[in-house]
């Protein structure tokens, strides 16, 4: 029996005709697909966009893509602290399927009370495939992805660039005293900003991996990054990948997973990734790094790499990233229907 339902969604977009068109269409495609909607069941769609989006009407983009339903666009008032570059929609429709509200590209629900919010903690050793899986899950569920390792890497980069030894706690603390590290989402991709500069492209080298692992053992560093991670998680539905998300950062996360694979399998994946990026490395060296980082990450005194008692363990030796993502998505969808 069909009922009249309201389905909500939002997406961020750059202020260009193409950007708004692409974002509005993607949002509507996802909403139609997830909610099994057809034009004939839709009563109307109302769009709002923040006042900085002036290049095009989202409703017009959707009309031009062939949807023959009543559409309406209007501008939101400028509210201090609200998320900029954001398009929102409310679809009124007749449906007998469960309602899925969808938030893409870092957009978030304004009414968490009606949408319900959740966090997915994805922990595990380096090279287990966490970031690939987290990205797939984030795209499929339309939720924010925070790669927490990037924060530790940014601080590792700062320390190395200042010729400070990453294991010298006092020197590291002096070096990082006034540093600012932040996350921004640009066109849906996470950028890590170090003192305002986007350093996302500089933090993936083996040298920075080791520095990140060393600085991540320092209480000062962990404390510094705790608030940033919790703030991002509090704003929307999220998936965070890291080492201590389910144990320390978000001990009350609704969903917890611990992704593992043998050191050899993880080293092979990391090696293939680095070679594909044009870096010249030897497999044996990558394997040694993986083993050393495992030891550092799991033997440090605070927030060591450890499976939360209530996390589901997934061994990905024989599973593709898509298989792991599907496993996680199924668990989340079962519970958030
Ligand atoms: O996931 P990654 O390889 O990008 O992480 C880089 C280093 O940061 C890793 O050696 C351990 C550390 N880390 C951490 O201690 N806690 C996290 N939540 C994420 C990363």
């Amino acid at each position: 029996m069909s009922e009249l339902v309201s389905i909500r969604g939002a997406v961020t977009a750059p202020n260009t005709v193409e950007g708004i068109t692409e974002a509005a269409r993607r949002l509507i495609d996802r909403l139609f697909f997830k909610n099994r909607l057809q034009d004939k069941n839709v009563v109307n769609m109302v769009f709002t966009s923040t006042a900085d989006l002036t290049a095009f009407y989202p409703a017009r983009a959707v009309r031009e893509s062939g949807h023959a339903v009543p559409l309406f666009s209007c501008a939101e008032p400028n509210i201090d602290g609200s998320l900029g570059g954001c398009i929102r929609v409310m679809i009124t429709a007749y449906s007998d399927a469960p309602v899925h509200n969808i938030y893409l590209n870092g957009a978030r629900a304004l009414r968490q009370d009606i949408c319900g919010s959740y966090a997915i903690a994805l922990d595990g050793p380096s090279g287990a495939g966490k970031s690939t899986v987290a990205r797939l899950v984030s795209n499929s569920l339309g939720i924010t992805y925070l790669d927490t390792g990037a924060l530790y890497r940014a601080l590792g980069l700062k320390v190395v660039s200042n010729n400070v030894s990453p294991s010298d706690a006092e020197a590291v603390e002096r070096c990082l005293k006034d540093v600012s590290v932040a996350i921004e989402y640009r066109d849906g991709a996470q950028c890590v900003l170090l003192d305002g500069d986007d350093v996302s492209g500089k933090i993936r080298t083996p040298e920075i991996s080791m520095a990140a692992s060393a600085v991540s053992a320092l209480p000062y560093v962990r404390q510094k990054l705790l608030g940033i991670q919790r703030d991002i998680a509090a704003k929307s539905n999220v998936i965070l990948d890291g080492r201590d998300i389910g144990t320390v950062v978000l001990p009350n996360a609704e969903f917890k997973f611990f992704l593992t694979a043998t050191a050899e399998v993880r080293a092979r994946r990391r090696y293939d990734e680095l070679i594909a990026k044009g870096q010249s490395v030897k497999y044996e060296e990558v394997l040694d790094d993986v083993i050393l980082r495992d030891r550092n990450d799991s033997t440090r005194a605070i927030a060591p790499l450890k499976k939360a008692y209530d996390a589901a363990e997934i061994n990905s030796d024989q599973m593709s990233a898509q298989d792991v993502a599907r496993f996680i998505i199924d668990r989340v969808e079962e519970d958030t229907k």
Side-chain angles (χ1 to χ4, degrees), residues 38-99:
Q38 293 182 316
D39 276 1
K40 64 175 191 219
N41 301 326
V42 173
V43 177
N44 61 36
M45 291 190 215
V46 177
F47 287 88
T48 67
S49 38
T50 45
D52 50 352
L53 289 184
T54 51
F56 204 49
Y57 292 117
R60 193 166 150 200
V62 172
R63 187 181 317 284
E64 287 179 2
S65 71
H67 286 283
V69 304
L71 288 153
F72 183 73
S73 279
C74 58
E76 280 179 23
N78 248 334
I79 297 171
D80 253 9
S82 82
L83 180 70
C86 188
I87 297 165
R88 294 183 187 280
V89 66
M90 185 161 86
I91 303 176
T92 307
Y94 285 98
S95 168
D96 50 17
V99 166

Coordinates of all heavy atoms in Angstrom, one line a residue, residues 38-99:
Q38 N 9.6 6.5 -9.2 CA 9.3 6.8 -10.7 C 8.6 8.1 -10.7 O 7.8 8.5 -9.8 CB 8.4 5.7 -11.2 CG 9.1 4.4 -11.3 CD 8.2 3.3 -11.9 OE1 7.0 3.3 -11.6 NE2 8.7 2.5 -12.8
D39 N 8.7 8.8 -11.9 CA 8.1 10.2 -12.0 C 6.6 10.1 -11.6 O 6.1 11.0 -11.0 CB 8.3 10.7 -13.4 CG 9.6 11.4 -13.6 OD1 10.4 11.4 -12.6 OD2 9.9 11.9 -14.7
K40 N 6.0 9.0 -12.1 CA 4.5 9.0 -11.9 C 4.1 9.0 -10.4 O 2.9 9.3 -10.1 CB 3.9 7.8 -12.7 CG 4.3 6.5 -12.2 CD 3.6 5.4 -12.9 CE 3.9 4.1 -12.2 NZ 4.1 2.9 -12.8
N41 N 5.0 8.6 -9.5 CA 4.7 8.5 -8.1 C 5.1 9.8 -7.4 O 4.8 9.9 -6.2 CB 5.4 7.3 -7.4 CG 5.0 6.0 -8.1 OD1 3.8 5.9 -8.5 ND2 5.9 5.1 -8.2
V42 N 5.7 10.7 -8.1 CA 6.2 11.9 -7.4 C 5.2 13.0 -7.5 O 4.7 13.4 -8.5 CB 7.6 12.4 -8.0 CG1 8.1 13.7 -7.5 CG2 8.7 11.3 -7.8
V43 N 4.9 13.6 -6.3 CA 3.9 14.7 -6.3 C 4.7 16.0 -6.7 O 4.2 16.8 -7.5 CB 3.3 14.9 -4.8 CG1 2.4 16.1 -4.8 CG2 2.6 13.6 -4.5
N44 N 5.8 16.3 -6.0 CA 6.7 17.4 -6.4 C 8.1 17.3 -5.8 O 8.3 16.5 -4.9 CB 6.0 18.8 -6.1 CG 5.8 18.9 -4.6 OD1 6.6 18.4 -3.8 ND2 4.7 19.5 -4.2
M45 N 8.9 18.1 -6.3 CA 10.3 18.2 -5.8 C 10.6 19.7 -5.5 O 10.5 20.5 -6.4 CB 11.4 17.8 -6.8 CG 11.4 16.3 -7.1 SD 12.9 16.0 -8.1 CE 12.3 14.8 -9.2
V46 N 11.0 20.0 -4.3 CA 11.3 21.4 -4.0 C 12.8 21.5 -3.7 O 13.3 20.7 -2.8 CB 10.5 21.8 -2.7 CG1 10.9 23.2 -2.3 CG2 9.0 21.8 -3.0
F47 N 13.5 22.3 -4.4 CA 14.9 22.5 -4.2 C 15.2 23.8 -3.4 O 14.5 24.8 -3.7 CB 15.7 22.6 -5.5 CG 15.8 21.3 -6.2 CD1 14.8 20.9 -7.1 CD2 16.9 20.5 -6.0 CE1 14.9 19.7 -7.8 CE2 17.1 19.3 -6.7 CZ 16.1 18.9 -7.6
T48 N 16.2 23.8 -2.6 CA 16.7 25.1 -2.1 C 18.2 25.0 -2.3 O 18.8 24.0 -2.3 CB 16.4 25.3 -0.6 OG1 17.2 24.4 0.2 CG2 15.0 25.2 -0.2
S49 N 18.8 26.2 -2.6 CA 20.3 26.2 -2.6 C 20.7 27.4 -1.8 O 20.0 28.4 -1.7 CB 20.8 26.2 -4.0 OG 20.0 27.1 -4.8
T50 N 21.9 27.3 -1.2 CA 22.5 28.4 -0.4 C 22.8 29.6 -1.3 O 22.9 29.4 -2.6 CB 23.8 27.9 0.3 OG1 24.6 27.2 -0.6 CG2 23.5 27.0 1.5
A51 N 22.8 30.8 -0.7 CA 22.8 32.0 -1.5 C 24.0 32.1 -2.4 O 24.1 32.9 -3.3 CB 22.6 33.2 -0.6
D52 N 25.1 31.3 -2.1 CA 26.3 31.4 -2.9 C 26.2 30.7 -4.2 O 27.1 30.8 -5.1 CB 27.5 31.0 -2.1 CG 27.3 29.6 -1.5 OD1 26.2 29.1 -1.5 OD2 28.3 29.1 -0.9
L53 N 25.1 29.9 -4.4 CA 25.0 29.1 -5.7 C 24.1 29.9 -6.6 O 22.8 29.8 -6.5 CB 24.4 27.7 -5.4 CG 25.4 26.8 -4.7 CD1 24.8 25.4 -4.6 CD2 26.7 26.7 -5.5
T54 N 24.7 30.7 -7.5 CA 23.9 31.6 -8.3 C 23.9 31.3 -9.8 O 23.2 31.8 -10.6 CB 24.4 33.0 -8.2 OG1 25.8 33.0 -8.4 CG2 24.2 33.6 -6.8
A55 N 24.8 30.3 -10.2 CA 25.0 30.0 -11.6 C 23.8 29.4 -12.3 O 23.6 29.6 -13.5 CB 26.2 29.2 -11.8
F56 N 23.0 28.6 -11.6 CA 21.9 27.9 -12.2 C 20.9 27.4 -11.2 O 21.2 27.3 -10.0 CB 22.6 26.6 -12.9 CG 21.8 26.0 -14.1 CD1 21.4 26.9 -15.1 CD2 21.6 24.7 -14.1 CE1 20.7 26.3 -16.2 CE2 20.9 24.1 -15.2 CZ 20.5 24.9 -16.2
Y57 N 19.7 27.1 -11.7 CA 18.7 26.5 -10.8 C 18.8 25.0 -10.8 O 18.7 24.4 -11.8 CB 17.3 26.9 -11.3 CG 16.9 28.3 -11.2 CD1 16.6 29.0 -12.3 CD2 16.8 28.9 -9.9 CE1 16.2 30.4 -12.2 CE2 16.4 30.3 -9.9 CZ 16.1 31.0 -11.0 OH 15.8 32.3 -10.9
P58 N 18.9 24.4 -9.6 CA 19.0 22.9 -9.6 C 17.7 22.3 -10.2 O 17.8 21.3 -10.9 CB 19.1 22.6 -8.1 CG 19.2 23.8 -7.4 CD 19.1 25.0 -8.3
A59 N 16.6 22.9 -10.0 CA 15.3 22.3 -10.5 C 15.4 22.3 -12.0 O 14.9 21.4 -12.7 CB 14.1 23.1 -10.0
R60 N 16.0 23.4 -12.6 CA 16.0 23.4 -14.1 C 16.9 22.3 -14.6 O 16.6 21.6 -15.6 CB 16.6 24.8 -14.5 CG 16.4 25.0 -16.0 CD 16.6 26.4 -16.3 NE 17.1 26.5 -17.7 CZ 17.7 27.6 -18.2 NH1 17.9 28.6 -17.4 NH2 18.1 27.6 -19.4
A61 N 18.0 22.0 -13.9 CA 19.0 21.0 -14.3 C 18.2 19.6 -14.3 O 18.4 18.8 -15.2 CB 20.1 20.9 -13.3
V62 N 17.4 19.4 -13.3 CA 16.6 18.2 -13.2 C 15.5 18.1 -14.3 O 15.3 17.1 -14.9 CB 16.1 18.0 -11.8 CG1 15.1 16.8 -11.7 CG2 17.2 17.9 -10.8
R63 N 14.9 19.2 -14.5 CA 13.9 19.2 -15.6 C 14.5 18.9 -16.9 O 14.0 18.1 -17.7 CB 13.2 20.6 -15.7 CG 12.0 20.6 -16.7 CD 11.3 22.0 -16.8 NE 11.1 22.7 -15.6 CZ 10.2 22.4 -14.7 NH1 9.4 21.4 -14.9 NH2 10.0 23.1 -13.6
E64 N 15.7 19.5 -17.2 CA 16.4 19.3 -18.5 C 16.9 17.9 -18.6 O 17.2 17.4 -19.7 CB 17.5 20.3 -18.6 CG 17.0 21.7 -18.9 CD 18.1 22.8 -19.1 OE1 19.3 22.4 -19.0 OE2 17.7 24.0 -19.3
S65 N 17.0 17.2 -17.5 CA 17.4 15.8 -17.6 C 16.2 14.9 -17.9 O 16.4 13.6 -17.9 CB 18.2 15.3 -16.4 OG 17.3 15.2 -15.3
G66 N 15.0 15.4 -18.0 CA 13.9 14.6 -18.5 C 12.8 14.3 -17.4 O 11.9 13.6 -17.8
H67 N 13.0 14.8 -16.2 CA 12.0 14.5 -15.2 C 10.8 15.4 -15.4 O 10.9 16.6 -15.4 CB 12.5 14.7 -13.8 CG 13.4 13.6 -13.4 ND1 13.0 12.4 -13.0 CD2 14.8 13.6 -13.3 CE1 14.1 11.6 -12.7 NE2 15.2 12.3 -12.9
A68 N 9.6 14.7 -15.6 CA 8.4 15.5 -15.9 C 7.5 15.5 -14.6 O 6.5 14.9 -14.5 CB 7.6 14.9 -17.0
V69 N 8.0 16.2 -13.6 CA 7.2 16.3 -12.3 C 7.2 17.8 -11.9 O 8.1 18.5 -12.4 CB 7.9 15.5 -11.2 CG1 8.0 14.0 -11.6 CG2 9.2 16.0 -10.7
P70 N 6.3 18.2 -11.1 CA 6.3 19.6 -10.7 C 7.6 19.9 -9.9 O 7.9 19.2 -8.9 CB 5.1 19.8 -9.8 CG 4.2 18.7 -10.2 CD 5.1 17.5 -10.6
L71 N 8.3 20.9 -10.3 CA 9.6 21.3 -9.7 C 9.7 22.7 -9.2 O 9.1 23.6 -9.9 CB 10.8 21.1 -10.7 CG 11.1 19.6 -11.1 CD1 11.6 19.6 -12.5 CD2 12.1 19.0 -10.1
F72 N 10.4 23.0 -8.2 CA 10.5 24.3 -7.7 C 11.9 24.6 -7.0 O 12.4 23.7 -6.3 CB 9.4 24.6 -6.7 CG 9.4 26.0 -6.2 CD1 8.9 27.0 -7.0 CD2 9.8 26.3 -4.9 CE1 8.8 28.3 -6.5 CE2 9.8 27.6 -4.4 CZ 9.3 28.6 -5.2
S73 N 12.5 25.7 -7.3 CA 13.8 26.0 -6.7 C 13.7 27.4 -6.0 O 13.0 28.3 -6.4 CB 14.9 26.3 -7.8 OG 15.4 25.2 -8.3
C74 N 14.3 27.5 -4.8 CA 14.4 28.8 -4.2 C 15.7 28.9 -3.4 O 16.4 27.9 -3.2 CB 13.2 29.1 -3.3 SG 13.0 27.9 -2.0
A75 N 16.1 30.1 -3.0 CA 17.3 30.4 -2.3 C 17.1 30.3 -0.8 O 16.1 30.8 -0.3 CB 17.9 31.7 -2.7
E76 N 18.1 29.7 -0.1 CA 18.0 29.7 1.3 C 18.6 31.0 1.8 O 19.4 31.6 1.2 CB 19.0 28.6 1.9 CG 18.5 27.3 1.9 CD 19.5 26.3 2.4 OE1 20.4 26.6 3.2 OE2 19.4 25.1 2.1
P77 N 18.1 31.5 3.0 CA 18.7 32.7 3.6 C 20.1 32.4 4.0 O 20.5 31.2 4.2 CB 17.8 33.0 4.8 CG 17.1 31.7 5.1 CD 17.0 30.9 3.8
N78 N 21.0 33.4 4.0 CA 22.3 33.2 4.5 C 22.3 33.1 6.0 O 22.0 34.0 6.7 CB 23.1 34.5 4.2 CG 24.1 34.2 3.1 OD1 24.6 33.1 2.9 ND2 24.5 35.3 2.4
I79 N 22.8 31.9 6.5 CA 22.8 31.7 7.9 C 24.2 31.5 8.3 O 24.9 30.6 7.8 CB 21.9 30.5 8.3 CG1 20.4 30.8 8.0 CG2 22.0 30.2 9.8 CD1 19.5 29.7 8.1
D80 N 24.7 32.2 9.3 CA 26.1 32.1 9.8 C 26.4 30.7 10.2 O 25.6 30.0 10.9 CB 26.2 33.0 11.1 CG 27.0 34.2 10.8 OD1 27.3 34.4 9.6 OD2 27.4 34.9 11.7
G81 N 27.5 30.2 9.6 CA 28.0 28.9 10.1 C 27.3 27.8 9.3 O 27.6 26.6 9.5
S82 N 26.4 28.0 8.4 CA 25.8 26.9 7.6 C 26.7 26.5 6.5 O 27.6 27.3 6.1 CB 24.4 27.3 7.1 OG 24.5 28.0 5.9
L83 N 26.5 25.3 6.1 CA 27.4 24.7 5.0 C 27.2 25.4 3.7 O 26.0 25.5 3.3 CB 27.1 23.2 4.9 CG 27.8 22.4 3.9 CD1 29.3 22.2 4.4 CD2 27.1 21.1 3.8
G84 N 28.2 26.0 3.1 CA 28.1 26.7 1.8 C 28.0 25.8 0.6 O 28.2 24.6 0.8
G85 N 27.6 26.3 -0.5 CA 27.6 25.6 -1.8 C 26.7 24.4 -1.7 O 27.1 23.3 -2.2
C86 N 25.6 24.5 -1.1 CA 24.8 23.3 -0.8 C 23.4 23.4 -1.4 O 22.7 24.4 -1.4 CB 24.7 23.1 0.7 SG 23.9 21.6 1.2
I87 N 23.0 22.3 -2.1 CA 21.7 22.2 -2.7 C 20.9 21.2 -1.9 O 21.4 20.1 -1.6 CB 21.8 21.6 -4.1 CG1 22.6 22.6 -5.0 CG2 20.4 21.3 -4.7 CD1 23.0 21.9 -6.3
R88 N 19.7 21.5 -1.5 CA 18.8 20.6 -0.8 C 17.6 20.3 -1.6 O 17.1 21.1 -2.3 CB 18.4 21.2 0.6 CG 19.6 21.4 1.5 CD 19.2 21.9 2.9 NE 20.5 22.1 3.5 CZ 21.2 21.2 4.1 NH1 20.8 19.9 4.1 NH2 22.4 21.5 4.6
V89 N 17.0 19.1 -1.3 CA 15.8 18.8 -2.0 C 14.8 18.1 -1.1 O 15.3 17.3 -0.2 CB 16.0 18.0 -3.3 CG1 16.6 16.6 -3.0 CG2 14.8 17.8 -4.1
M90 N 13.6 18.3 -1.2 CA 12.6 17.5 -0.5 C 11.6 17.0 -1.6 O 11.0 17.8 -2.4 CB 11.8 18.2 0.5 CG 10.9 17.2 1.3 SD 10.4 17.8 2.9 CE 9.0 18.7 2.4
I91 N 11.5 15.7 -1.7 CA 10.6 15.0 -2.7 C 9.4 14.5 -2.0 O 9.5 13.8 -1.0 CB 11.3 13.8 -3.4 CG1 12.6 14.3 -4.1 CG2 10.4 13.2 -4.4 CD1 13.4 13.1 -4.7
T92 N 8.2 14.9 -2.4 CA 7.0 14.3 -1.9 C 6.5 13.3 -2.9 O 6.4 13.6 -4.1 CB 5.9 15.4 -1.7 OG1 6.5 16.5 -0.9 CG2 4.8 14.9 -1.0
A93 N 6.3 12.1 -2.4 CA 6.0 11.0 -3.4 C 5.1 9.9 -2.7 O 5.1 9.8 -1.5 CB 7.3 10.3 -3.8
Y94 N 4.4 9.1 -3.5 CA 3.7 8.0 -3.0 C 4.7 6.8 -3.1 O 5.3 6.6 -4.2 CB 2.5 7.7 -3.9 CG 1.4 8.7 -3.5 CD1 1.1 9.8 -4.3 CD2 0.6 8.5 -2.4 CE1 0.1 10.7 -4.0 CE2 -0.4 9.4 -2.1 CZ -0.6 10.5 -2.9 OH -1.6 11.4 -2.5
S95 N 4.9 6.1 -2.0 CA 5.9 5.0 -2.1 C 5.5 3.9 -1.0 O 4.9 4.2 0.0 CB 7.2 5.6 -1.8 OG 8.1 4.5 -1.5
D96 N 5.9 2.7 -1.4 CA 5.8 1.7 -0.3 C 7.1 1.1 0.1 O 7.2 0.1 0.8 CB 4.8 0.5 -0.8 CG 5.2 0.0 -2.1 OD1 6.3 0.3 -2.6 OD2 4.4 -0.7 -2.8
A97 N 8.2 1.8 -0.4 CA 9.6 1.3 0.0 C 10.1 2.1 1.2 O 9.6 3.2 1.4 CB 10.5 1.5 -1.2
P98 N 11.1 1.6 1.9 CA 11.6 2.4 3.0 C 12.2 3.6 2.5 O 12.8 3.7 1.4 CB 12.7 1.4 3.6 CG 12.7 0.2 2.8 CD 11.7 0.3 1.7
V99 N 12.1 4.7 3.3 CA 12.7 6.0 2.9 C 14.2 6.0 3.1 O 14.7 5.7 4.2 CB 12.0 7.2 3.7 CG1 12.8 8.5 3.5 CG2 10.6 7.3 3.3

